[in-house]
Amino acid sequence: MNIDRTEFIAWMERIMDRFDILGEHIDDVQKQRNSIDGEELLDNQDLLQILKISNRSLQRYRSIGKLPYYTISGKLYYKLSDVHQFIRESFTAPVPKMKANK
């Protein structure tokens, strides 16, 4: 069976389109899998990058109960809303500067 160059290119384009569709489907499944009750779950690596903290600091926040977490199949996850709440509670407002009396 012989096929010409244009037919071969057309077949390859169809195959690549199918790969793109499969890639999008895999991304959708991954996003659904990393959620609970419709809320996004973050793992340790996600949180370390977002908060720019060490693994030990993250462990300390878990140990003292400052950051709620969930264990699923031996892996730790954090709800995005809990992370946002943790950030809000950890944020300290700037101290107003005292005006000098003249």
Side-chain angles (χ1 to χ4, degrees):
M1 176 170 132
N2 291 331
I3 58 173
D4 64 357
R5 178 174 163 71
T6 55
E7 190 175 349
F8 175 77
I9 290 172
W11 275 101
M12 294 310 291
E13 287 175 356
R14 287 181 63 194
I15 290 171
M16 294 309 292
D17 288 342
R18 296 282 171 106
F19 280 142
D20 291 341
I21 291 169
L22 283 172
E24 290 171 6
H25 181 67
I26 289 170
D27 289 343
D28 291 342
V29 168
Q30 184 69 26
K31 286 178 186 173
Q32 289 174 356
R33 196 182 78 178
N34 286 340
S35 67
I36 190 166
D37 297 331
E39 187 171 356
E40 185 177 353
L41 292 177
L42 305 170
D43 65 8
N44 273 348
Q45 291 303 313
D46 294 332
L47 224 49
L48 293 174
Q49 290 177 346
I50 290 170
L51 299 177
K52 296 183 179 15
I53 59 174
S54 69
N55 196 21
R56 180 66 183 114
S57 294
L58 185 55
Q59 183 181 5
R60 188 175 335 106
Y61 294 140
R62 283 194 312 265
S63 297
I64 63 176
K66 198 166 184 178
L67 187 59
Y69 66 96
Y70 305 88
T71 304
I72 302 172
S73 300
K75 189 170 179 181
L76 300 176
Y77 291 95
Y78 310 84
K79 282 186 179 179
L80 185 57
S81 62
D82 291 338
V83 173
H84 287 164
Q85 184 65 32
F86 169 77
I87 292 170
R88 279 191 291 277
E89 290 172 357
S90 299
F91 177 75
T92 55
V95 177
K97 292 182 181 180
M98 302 284 284
K99 292 185 180 181
N101 292 335
K102 290 185 178 183

